Amino acid sequence: MQSNAVTQTENLTAAIQRIDANHHWHPFTDTAALNSKGARVIVRGEGVYVWDSEGNRIIDGMAGLWCVNMGYGRKELIDAAKQQLDELPYYNHFFQTTTTPAAVLAQEIASVTPGDLNHIFFANSGSEAVDTLIRMIRHYWAVEGKPEKNVLIGRKNAYHGSTIGGTSLGGMGAMHKQGGPYLPNIEHIDQPYWYGEAGDLDEEAFGLKAARALEEKILEVGPEKVAAFIGEPIQGAGGVIVPPASYWPEIQRICRKYDILLAADEVICGFGRTGSWFGSQTFGIEPDLMSMAKGLSSGYMPISAVAVGDRVANCLIEKGGEFFHGFTYSGHPVAAAVAVANIRLMKQEKVVDYVADDIGPYFQQQLRAVLADQPLTGHIEGAGLVAGIALVKDREAKQFFADEGTVGTLCRDHCFENGLIMRAVGDRMVLSPPLVISRKEVDELCAKVRKCFDLTLDSVRTQGL
Ligand SMILES: *Cc1c(COP(=O)(O)O)cnc(C)c1O
């Protein structure tokens, strides 16, 4: 055991950094590299801003980790948690019992999901929701008398969480190199990344080609063996990859043709991010199942859910008997109470309309305007309040940097130093600010993005990259 006593000469930031370095192992982090410089300590949040322990105000261009959609410090959400903690901090939903927040939340979610996605199964994280999808889908086909129909098809560079199930279904090469072997009977097709991978094809043609990779894979595996296709409407952690408009309708057509379930991982796109309640609506599809998390509670409490359509739900409920699946905290009353308050607040403030008609288009337009003549900016894609920007060495020749990730990391570090949180995914910079951001705050965000891109360009030139 190391001594954690705070010495009198040490300031608070240094003390927390030291304790953190000694004991706290961070997720998705090179811990040795972090510990050598010390983690930034975030102490407070309000609206679209967070403050660190040194008093710096930082504009949060990522809404935490794609989740603080209603912004920091919302009294409605805080009060809902406090009230529920006072009344009933915990009870489970295993023992022939329910709690009011879980029942009401299931109804609230069903009130905003598209189609007949009316049956809600709760979990605590996006990864658990994805694991639930996997088990539920395979169990569904078994109950239907087709246990051999158990192959799941996902995509390369997709992110579905970091449990064994989520990692298996996801298509992140770096993740697959660690901690395997992964689940059998999972296949991956190419992602619909038009700017990076389409060659000479226009968007429409490339979208169809990328979707038809699914049909090829289904025929290769055998339709009688394929259970479902699962994808994020817009790939988030993969760098905000927005598929061409032709992609999702074609994916849906192919799934229906071969009787394959379509599951949308709405963990980022859900709850208004793209200007609809769900990304599936933005792209005009009706999936059979959806996973959701992050924006469900605006990140105030950990909670996730799977919304299931009548086909799968009625089969499993009527013919499946007991579904041996669930979590101690499935539908946790405090988390559920916060999520209920969050959805009601979103409805009351008409946040989805605000993203669709006002702040989303404004953000997309301002970002393009401010970066129009910025030499590192290869291509900007996005929808509503999410955007991905490809950093390139030469925009005319569409030439990427040789050592992918170096320039992205440089840019991320300039943002860090300049009061802006923007994430790097390789050489793509991504933004996903709180949905309640104002026009003035969008202007500030975009000005900071421009400044940090210019600083990055200076670094690129100095270092001869
Ligand atoms: C974040 C994310 C997950 C995983 O959610 P956790 O709560 O981190 O487990 C799954 N799918 C998508 C699309 C995500 O963005």
Side-chain angles (χ1 to χ4, degrees), residues 65-66 124-128 130 159-162 232 234 236-237 265-268 291 293-294:
L65 202 39
W66 324 83
N124 310 289
S125 68
S127 303
E128 285 180 6
V130 167
Y159 187 74
H160 297 296
S162 74
E232 307 154 78
I234 291 173
D265 186 351
E266 294 270 5
V267 169
I268 286 176
S291 48
K294 298 185 171 116

Side-chain angles (χ1 to χ4, degrees), residues 77 111 181 203:
L77 308 193
S111 79
E203 287 201 63

